[in-house]
Amino acid sequence: MELNELLEDGRAAPKSGGALCIEGGVPLRGELRVQGAKNSILPLLAASVLCGGESVFHNCPELSDVAVTVRILRYLGCACQRHGKTLVVRSGALDRADIPDRMMHQMRSSIVFLGAILAKCGEASLSFPGGCEIGQRPIDLHLSSLRKLGVQIREEHGCLFCRAPHGVTGGFVSLSFPSVGATENLLLAASTGRGTTVIANAAREPEIADLACFLNRCGAHIYGAGESCVIVEGVPRLSGSEFTVMPDRIAAATYMAAAAVTGGTVLLRGVNAGHLMPVLSAFEETGCRVLQSGAELLLSAPERLGPVRHVRTMPYPGFPTDAQAPIMAMAAVGNGTSIFVENIFECRYQHAAELNRLGAKIRVEGKVAVVEGVPKLSGAPVTAADLRGGAALAVAGLCAEGETMLLHPKYIDRGYEHFERNLRSLGARIVRV
Ligand code: UD1
């Protein structure tokens, strides 16, 4: 069946698996409300384990990673119910303090349950999350910093056995790298710990501030989240609360890139432009006009994009590694040469070879990628190997001449809610087959 027929047939409903079939060349126009942040809701849901009673999360995105997290919550003994964009979690005493291997392997970020389960039960056993599509992802910082809070940890046959028989104690932790996950685990573990914990060189990502804001609403005493020194005064208990998840800054950047490569104009609603500063500068460098008013961002692209010159990924407030791939798709059709330096993950250029299949000219050497912009890409079969790389391939497909068949869209479903439906609402010709 041709793309045209599929679009008319209404068989474009989002489904997992299959492939995304994209016919490029349509300038995207229209407006879109940006989803709640994946990287915020996952730790928030882990936090709900710690809080007795009911936690209500509004603006909760429908993602496969959220579905995996809900399965973990239910396994632990929490009741979860979704009503549209609101997810309600009821938690009491947990049934168990472990997460089975099969669940840990479905989502590496399930390691954020470690701090929450430990704080709640005084023990936790989880399998080691191991590496993933974007490289080795050690958890040494999570473990060494939890040990500083009095947690005993045994690593055996790929499993972690953690105990804090007398509860988590306060302490001073200085992270050698501002790891997002390690900072989140520390906040969770220390919130109901005994005494005060000081986290130096904490991650400053807005999702950290979102987590702390929720925990404080539940009764925690966390000061300075979002800055590099965070202080947590342990409280005896937390009780569930109502919370609206922050907007997803990476989804916003991805839809902006999609509009930019097609020479389109989009209005994004429900964004926090303050979270997107280095990314907005990259768009402006390519000649896009970006106007911000309150929670709205308007992007209009020139006929031909310029290059982005230098993108160096850094911990927040630097350029986010998660936006590297979508911005590279944009640089691929920029009029000039752009240089990328990936400083956060060791193996985060898998999309470069696939972009080259579409006609891009990208050379990768170690952590550096040199992108020589070409006037046009052309459709081809490509394969997603990770979440953001997959989204970047879709962005490229939207401006490529002819048809792009994108395999393994399941990676995209991990982090983008109604991806192709959203793009279609802007005029894109994209269906799941
Ligand atoms: C989170 C985000 C991810 C984002 C990343 C960096 C979630 C669910 N995921 O991942 O989308 O790309 O932040 O902004 O929020 N490291 C160690 N030892 C550790 C922990 C981390 O060496 O114990 C290294 C990692 O291998 C990586 C770097 O530190 O090279 C950054 O990792 P981290 O900030 O922890 O990212 P995540 O929390 O895994």
Side-chain angles (χ1 to χ4, degrees):
M1 193 179 260
E2 292 295 306
L3 182 72
N4 250 337
E5 292 171 63
L6 281 166
L7 281 164
E8 282 157 23
D9 193 38
R11 273 213 245 157
K15 284 187 202 120
S16 237
L20 291 179
C21 179
I22 308 166
E23 209 174 277
V26 184
L28 301 193
R29 296 196 198 289
E31 50 184 79
L32 205 61
R33 176 157 289 279
V34 173
Q35 67 186 60
K38 169 183 95 73
N39 288 353
S40 185
I41 187 64
L42 300 181
L44 286 170
L45 290 173
S48 68
V49 159
L50 250 185
C51 309
E54 195 171 271
S55 297
V56 181
F57 299 106
H58 301 296
N59 201 27
C60 174
E62 280 179 55
L63 306 170
S64 60
D65 271 9
V66 171
V68 173
T69 310
V70 165
R71 280 202 285 280
I72 294 176
L73 287 169
R74 290 191 172 132
Y75 175 83
L76 294 171
C78 303
C80 306
Q81 258 187 328
R82 186 184 264 281
H83 310 277
K85 292 226 170 293
T86 298
L87 187 67
V88 180
V89 183
R90 281 184 204 87
S91 91
L94 297 187
D95 292 347
R96 41 175 43 104
D98 69 295
I99 300 179
D101 210 41
R102 61 175 197 283
M103 289 181 176
M104 285 301 289
H105 276 97
Q106 276 176 34
M107 195 182 62
R108 192 203 171 272
S109 47
S110 44
I111 189 66
V112 80
F113 274 95
L114 178 57
I117 298 177
L118 247 175
K120 181 84 176 180
C121 306
E123 58 175 344
S125 7
L126 271 58
S127 68
F128 221 88
C132 73
E133 316 87 44
I134 57 176
Q136 280 303 316
R137 293 178 78 174
I139 54 164
D140 55 316
L141 298 174
H142 298 240
L143 302 185
S144 59
S145 47
L146 286 171
R147 282 186 172 115
K148 291 240 164 77
L149 303 189
V151 180
Q152 301 161 6
I153 304 175
R154 213 163 28 91
E155 299 170 51
E156 243 169 48
H157 311 298
C159 282
L160 291 167
F161 299 97
C162 307
R163 290 185 70 225
H166 309 295
V168 174
T169 53
F172 177 79
V173 181
S174 178
L175 292 170
S176 56
F177 180 89
S179 155
V180 174
T183 305
E184 289 165 348
N185 256 330
L186 282 167
L187 291 184
L188 291 164
S191 282
T192 54
R194 282 184 292 121
T196 299
T197 297
V198 177
I199 311 168
N201 200 24
R204 288 184 281 165
E205 269 68 2
E207 292 79 8
I208 300 282
D210 222 33
L211 174 63
C213 184
F214 170 70
L215 288 167
N216 282 344
R217 245 184 232 184
C218 296
H221 291 174
I222 300 172
Y223 309 95
E227 293 163 34
S228 40
C229 184
V230 182
I231 296 171
V232 187
E233 281 171 9
V235 297
R237 70 191 63 79
L238 302 174
S239 55
S241 172
E242 194 163 341
F243 194 72
T244 300
V245 181
M246 61 173 268
D248 195 311
R249 56 199 171 104
I250 308 302
T254 305
Y255 290 118
M256 288 170 78
V261 294
T262 61
T265 300
V266 288
L267 176 69
L268 296 182
R269 295 190 191 280
V271 281
N272 185 332
H275 294 162
L276 274 161
M277 282 312 164
V279 182
L280 297 187
S281 305
F283 281 104
E284 280 167 345
E285 226 181 307
T286 64
C288 289
R289 279 186 59 209
V290 182
L291 297 174
Q292 183 224 330
S293 167
E296 294 183 352
L297 262 182
L298 178 75
L299 174 130
S300 47
E303 214 162 281
R304 174 89 203 263
L305 293 169
V308 277
R309 308 271 178 228
H310 289 99
V311 167
R312 291 185 185 80
T313 65
M314 306 278 250
Y316 192 84
F319 192 97
T321 172
D322 288 350
Q324 176 255 105
I327 299 301
M328 187 178 285
M330 187 168 75
V333 289
N335 189 9
T337 302
S338 306
I339 312 261
F340 288 72
V341 183
E342 173 54 59
N343 291 308
I344 307 293
F345 289 107
E346 58 181 13
C347 186
R348 209 166 197 186
Y349 282 138
Q350 294 190 70
H351 48 280
E354 296 300 289
L355 287 171
N356 286 347
R357 288 169 71 110
L358 298 173
K361 279 196 182 161
I362 305 172
R363 271 179 298 123
V364 173
E365 252 178 62
K367 50 158 74 172
V368 179
V370 179
V371 184
E372 280 170 47
V374 295
K376 273 239 163 291
L377 299 177
S378 50
V382 287
T383 306
D386 67 272
L387 163 60
R388 305 302 172 186
L393 294 174
V395 167
L398 290 169
C399 69
E401 246 169 25
E403 190 176 285
T404 295
M405 191 64 85
L406 170 48
L407 297 175
H408 292 173
K410 64 178 182 190
Y411 288 110
I412 296 176
D413 301 335
R414 288 188 42 213
Y416 294 88
E417 179 178 61
H418 309 315
F419 188 60
E420 59 266 30
R421 193 205 290 177
N422 282 339
L423 289 169
R424 270 200 306 274
S425 76
L426 300 173
R429 297 171 65 76
I430 176 169
V431 290
R432 195 172 292 233
V433 289

